[in-house]
Amino acid sequence: FLEDVSGGFSPSGTEPGFIIRNEPHMKAFLPSDACTPLTYGGSFSDGTRCNAFCKNVCIRYVHIRSGIAEATKLVLTQGDTSYAYYLDDLHDKFRMVLPGGSYQAKFYNTNDIEVIAGSPVVSVFRTPKCTGYADQSSFVFSTGEPTMSPSLAPSLSFAPTKPYTVPINLSQGKEASQICNYSSTKYPARHGNDGIISTRRSWMTHTCKRANAWWKVDLGGLKQIESVEIWNRPDCCQSRLSNFYVQFLDEYGDELSSIYNDGYFRKNKKFTAGRNVFARYVRIQLTAGEPLHLMEVKVLGWDVSPDLLESGASCSDSTQCASGLCTGESVCY
């Protein structure tokens, strides 16, 4: 699917919206009158076409991993509407395009019996320009049968919460890459996370001039990210570092979320990732055709993975408590 911000591809030529495949799984939760068939659109390998224009909706690409091998079907329900999505065996995840709102989510096995996922992971992709889109908080997963009677002896913790743990630099010295190199001998990608913030441009990164130039760092695994701080080059051409995305990617290189920056800054700027963002790669990507250059990038966060805790577990580690891993029924102590 494609977001048409200007509305140039709409039937009227002026209404913003989305161009999608005109198929039931793409329109399951859209109003019945939202989409209009188009007479044009590119063909895909399976013969389908991107041939419907949907207005007055805000949709987003979503991946959901159940975390259990038995789950082969995912049923989402919003109001009176339900739709079944089936496992993509190749990538071991459920894939869908959805508008905003709240969804009840249930997993089923091949015998159509509900199975309970302990720690499902929701990945959302590039943030639309429209508002009211789906995010990780849009999904409520089934936790099994409710308890028939309340607990007469609830657990209480009287120990004080441990101090806040300061996020660390997850990116320094990790493997870095960029779309292309300005020079075979100068400005390599590794200068972007070597820990050196200099006034000399010899310590910066610099790509060739290429559309949507990018720089990327591999954190070595899924890490919880608190923020990303970027330093611009100190000497000249600072406006080139503008109109770019800070992108958070999973272990497969798929985008989980992103932050857009539409201006430029002369020294450095910090971008807050948001709550419970786990990513393996962080990528800085321009939206224009300028070369990308960076003095330094610091990815700040905690060296913890999303599968450390099961739902309802107690947290006795201050890093887990401080970084927001103890949620729902969990207790920080």
Side-chain angles (χ1 to χ4, degrees):
F1 75 104
L2 171 71
E3 183 176 11
D4 181 11
V5 178
S6 66
F9 291 99
S10 68
S12 68
T14 59
E15 293 177 290
F18 288 80
I19 302 171
I20 67 168
R21 296 192 192 196
N22 195 13
E23 298 178 10
H25 74 277
M26 299 289 289
K27 304 186 296 182
F29 294 96
L30 300 181
S32 59
D33 60 350
C35 300
T36 302
L38 299 174
T39 57
Y40 54 85
S43 296
F44 297 93
S45 58
D46 59 2
T48 60
R49 297 172 65 85
C50 215
N51 57 357
F53 187 89
C54 304
K55 63 180 182 179
N56 300 323
V57 294
C58 190
I59 57 180
R60 196 175 194 183
Y61 190 33
V62 179
H63 288 177
I64 297 179
R65 289 189 174 91
S66 67
I68 53 174
E70 299 91 335
T72 58
K73 183 173 77 171
L74 168 64
V75 176
L76 296 183
T77 301
Q78 186 182 72
D80 297 328
T81 302
S82 295
Y83 195 84
Y85 299 88
Y86 291 88
L87 185 68
D88 178 344
D89 292 324
L90 181 63
H91 299 96
D92 193 31
K93 56 191 172 186
F94 299 89
R95 304 198 287 182
M96 61 215 67
V97 173
L98 297 169
S102 179
Y103 297 89
Q104 298 292 322
K106 294 184 177 183
F107 296 100
Y108 294 85
N109 62 19
T110 54
N111 296 318
D112 222 26
I113 298 173
E114 184 181 358
V115 291
I116 305 303
S119 302
V121 176
V122 178
S123 302
V124 292
F125 294 83
R126 177 165 292 184
T127 305
K129 297 294 185 182
C130 54
T131 58
Y133 46 78
D135 58 22
Q136 286 94 338
S137 66
S138 299
F139 301 90
V140 179
F141 293 92
S142 177
T143 57
E145 293 297 323
T147 304
M148 297 307 295
S149 57
S151 171
L152 298 178
S155 301
L156 294 175
S157 172
F158 297 97
T161 301
K162 293 186 178 182
Y164 172 76
T165 301
V166 176
I168 63 173
N169 186 353
L170 300 169
S171 56
Q172 185 169 332
K174 298 295 178 63
E175 183 179 353
S177 58
Q178 55 192 13
I179 188 172
C180 54
N181 296 317
Y182 176 83
S183 166
S184 61
T185 59
K186 297 187 293 184
Y187 316 128
R190 67 176 183 274
H191 280 181
N193 58 321
D194 57 6
I196 299 174
I197 302 172
S198 174
T199 57
R200 299 176 61 186
R201 66 180 181 182
S202 58
W203 289 104
M204 71 181 186
T205 71
H206 200 313
T207 72
C208 61
K209 189 172 183 179
R210 187 78 63 84
N212 306 121
W214 55 262
W215 177 94
K216 181 174 68 175
V217 61
D218 180 358
L219 303 179
L222 287 175
K223 308 297 179 184
Q224 185 172 19
I225 298 174
E226 186 261 351
S227 61
V228 177
E229 192 165 6
I230 301 172
W231 276 260
N232 205 342
R233 65 183 292 178
D235 56 338
C236 75
C237 317
Q238 294 166 332
S239 61
R240 289 177 179 171
L241 185 58
S242 61
N243 302 319
F244 64 87
Y245 283 96
V246 180
Q247 300 167 328
F248 305 100
L249 314 179
D250 66 11
E251 63 269 45
Y252 301 99
D254 292 332
E255 185 179 312
L256 300 169
S257 61
S258 64
I259 303 169
Y260 183 69
N261 183 84
D262 60 357
Y264 77 94
F265 45 92
R266 296 188 179 279
K267 189 176 180 182
N268 61 301
K269 185 173 181 179
K270 190 172 185 178
F271 300 86
T272 301
R275 183 174 177 81
N276 290 337
V277 173
F278 289 89
R280 174 168 179 169
Y281 303 95
V282 173
R283 183 170 63 197
I284 316 300
Q285 185 165 27
L286 298 179
T287 59
E290 293 288 348
L292 172 64
H293 39 62
L294 304 162
M295 175 52 68
E296 186 71 11
V297 177
K298 290 184 179 181
V299 180
L300 302 175
W302 298 273
D303 192 7
V304 291
S305 64
D307 55 357
L308 277 179
L309 297 174
E310 295 181 357
S311 177
S314 295
C315 300
S316 57
D317 182 271
S318 60
T319 300
Q320 297 165 359
C321 286
S323 60
L325 280 172
C326 301
T327 58
E329 298 300 319
S330 302
V331 179
C332 272
Y333 61 86

